Amino acid sequence: MASRPLLITIIGALYALLGIVMLALGALTFAGGAVGGEAAAGAVGGGTIAVIGLIYIIIALGFLKGWKLWWYLGVIFAILGIIGGLLMFPVGLVAVIIDIIILWYLFRDNVKAFFFD
């Protein structure tokens, strides 16, 4: 197996951090809905955010371990991030740029060798 590229380590760490933040945000949304009298909306919204946070944490682990399946998930989430950022234009422009860079990087030869060898 090829050695893990430094930027993959950084991206994995950022996905883990984002996942932790989203788990916390999901818990706060869930609790806020219960306190605000909108328990069903809080449960659905908070649960959805928490699940996405867990997926980001799993992607981070897969990036750090070099698991091929998680490379595909990283590509899918980068594409979804680009679409989401474009829908929030111009606020989402920074997210679009970051996701384009991640997507470009995931297709570099040394990165693909890390995931596919």
Side-chain angles (χ1 to χ4, degrees):
M1 175 182 261
S3 64
R4 182 174 58 224
L6 176 63
L7 197 52
I8 287 297
T9 304
I10 293 169
I11 292 169
L14 291 174
Y15 269 127
L17 181 63
L18 180 60
I20 291 168
V21 168
M22 290 189 75
L23 279 174
L25 184 60
L28 288 173
T29 303
F30 184 84
V35 170
E38 297 291 332
V44 171
T48 302
I49 293 169
V51 167
I52 293 170
L54 284 174
I55 291 170
Y56 276 129
I57 290 171
I58 293 169
I59 289 173
L61 179 63
F63 272 28
L64 296 176
K65 297 289 186 176
W67 295 337
K68 184 185 336 182
L69 175 63
W70 304 120
W71 179 89
Y72 289 111
L73 281 178
V75 169
I76 291 168
F77 267 70
I79 291 169
L80 291 174
I82 291 168
I83 293 168
L86 290 173
L87 292 174
M88 295 187 304
F89 188 81
V91 177
L93 189 58
V94 172
V96 169
I97 292 169
I98 290 170
D99 283 320
I100 287 172
I101 292 169
I102 289 173
L103 193 58
W104 167 79
Y105 189 70
L106 287 175
F107 281 95
R108 306 253 321 158
D109 290 336
N110 64 325
V111 174
K112 287 185 79 173
F114 171 66
F115 284 101
F116 290 96
D117 284 345

